[in-house]
Amino acid sequence: MRNLYLTNTLTRTKELFKPIHPGHVGMYVCGPTVYGDAHLGHARPGVTYDILFKLLQFLGYKVRYVRNITDVGHLEHDADEGEDKIAKKARLEQLEPMEIVQTYTERYHEAMRLLGNASPSIEPRASGHIIEQIETIKKILAAGYAYESNGSIYFDVEKYNRDFHYGVLSGRTLEDTLEGTRSLDGQSDKRAPYDFALWKKAEPEHIMRWPSPWGEGFPGWHLECSVMGEKYLGQEFDIHGGGMDLMFPHHECEIAQNQASRGTQGVHYWVHNNMITINGQKMGKSLGNFITLPELFAGNHPKLEQAYSPMTVRFFILQAHYRSTLDFSNEALQGAEKGYKRVMQAAKDLKGIQPAGAAHPEIAALYENAVEALCDDLNTPVAIAHVFEAVKWINSAKEKKATLSKEDLEQLGKLFDDVVFGVLGLRDEEAAAGGKAEKALEGAMTLVLEGRAKARAEKNWAESDRIRDILKAAGIVVKDTKEGAEWTLE
């Protein structure tokens, strides 16, 4: 098995990946809060952790990939204050909160499918694990790291920090945390502004609420991942992923909850992807640059010069290392579109090249170098650079400027199968569309010829000829045989 190196946010070093259980990997990724269409900010983690999932499988690991759906507890202003995002959307659209969740979860799944992302092994919802969250809160209370205040339960960060280190993941001190904490109405229930909610008392107007030992309420946002990660992957598991914006406070709070409730930080490798900016700016509705994936695929946003296909977007994301900032622009997407089409055309051309001449050692090295790049902290830009070298060889052979041996063709085929279509998850959208059109035509022709056969059986020769002539005008030739009618395209 090849060695895989990952940059561990916890240690800030690139480490040789060593799973807890040989041959098996537990991976948890923070999923979306489903109260609107998936957007560019969802695309990057979706693609990043899909590649990690596929790479681990390619390397021979059996992977349990858990990605949650946040459907309760994520408040509008921050983790502890404001209106629940899903409840607000439900109130505005006069729907049940779970109708909002179901609608946008399905839309999220469709966007991820179009981007070529595999489904996770398990996709739990926060609302389906209320009992487990309550039990975890009881453990934290019993350990002395939480307190009740006016029907809500808060994590005692200062007490925890005396025994452990709150800030071990982000590198922050408690003083840094205090400086960055906003003063909001309702924080008087806390002993300190940096304490965070484990359970919130539901106000009379709050729609989503559950009974608990402390009264009716709902769990805090940070708690869900700690609880579901432990339930499906164990008290300790290998990899936890998510956007860099989740490192603090979300993942920092997870570590504190894990340590307080089960005596271990819980996660061995913390992996964070960086953000997508738009023309150098952070994406935001107030800036007018908030682009959803459906808008991106259809091209119906004022910032877009054209529509960009899902595979173009995936290729665009792959061109930057997952830990670096990725700046979105029409120019960058158009460049990605050209690059993607070059790679797909080369894959088609490769099938038509006849073997000739001696093998080239540098072609055999392309496969190894591309795989090694992926094993080096998911270095997709370097892997793609090796793919483009392969494209050059294919184009040279196509133009009769070079020859490729049988061994060369096998190595190039392996590169496309294992790396381009395998780990990188690209697919030929034009070929897929053509295949769908062919199936649709076959289905339509079956119905048309059944109708013509019925006309012939009834000796309605005029109708039979009319159908045949219409098809011929459309470029479809029908030939009658003893076994029945056959059709071909002119």
Side-chain angles (χ1 to χ4, degrees), residues 290-333:
F290 185 88
I291 305 175
T292 68
L293 292 178
E295 287 173 332
L296 190 61
F297 300 155
N300 57 0
H301 187 281
K303 292 283 184 182
L304 299 174
E305 294 178 3
Q306 64 178 75
Y308 298 103
S309 76
M311 285 298 105
T312 295
V313 176
R314 187 179 184 95
F315 196 81
F316 165 70
I317 292 171
L318 297 177
Q319 288 182 305
H321 192 274
Y322 75 92
R323 288 188 293 106
S324 64
T325 303
L326 180 59
D327 191 51
F328 172 98
S329 67
N330 282 283
E331 293 76 14
L333 262 292

Side-chain angles (χ1 to χ4, degrees), residues 253-301:
C253 293
E254 277 192 59
I255 288 177
Q257 292 165 163
N258 296 347
Q259 187 71 56
S261 64
R262 57 187 191 247
T264 175
Q265 291 185 0
V267 179
H268 286 211
Y269 298 87
W270 288 89
V271 180
H272 293 92
N273 64 276
N274 213 321
M275 303 295 103
I276 291 182
T277 56
I278 299 182
N279 294 321
Q281 289 183 308
K282 185 178 179 181
M283 187 170 66
K285 290 183 179 179
S286 62
L287 298 172
N289 63 1
F290 185 88
I291 305 175
T292 68
L293 292 178
E295 287 173 332
L296 190 61
F297 300 155
N300 57 0
H301 187 281

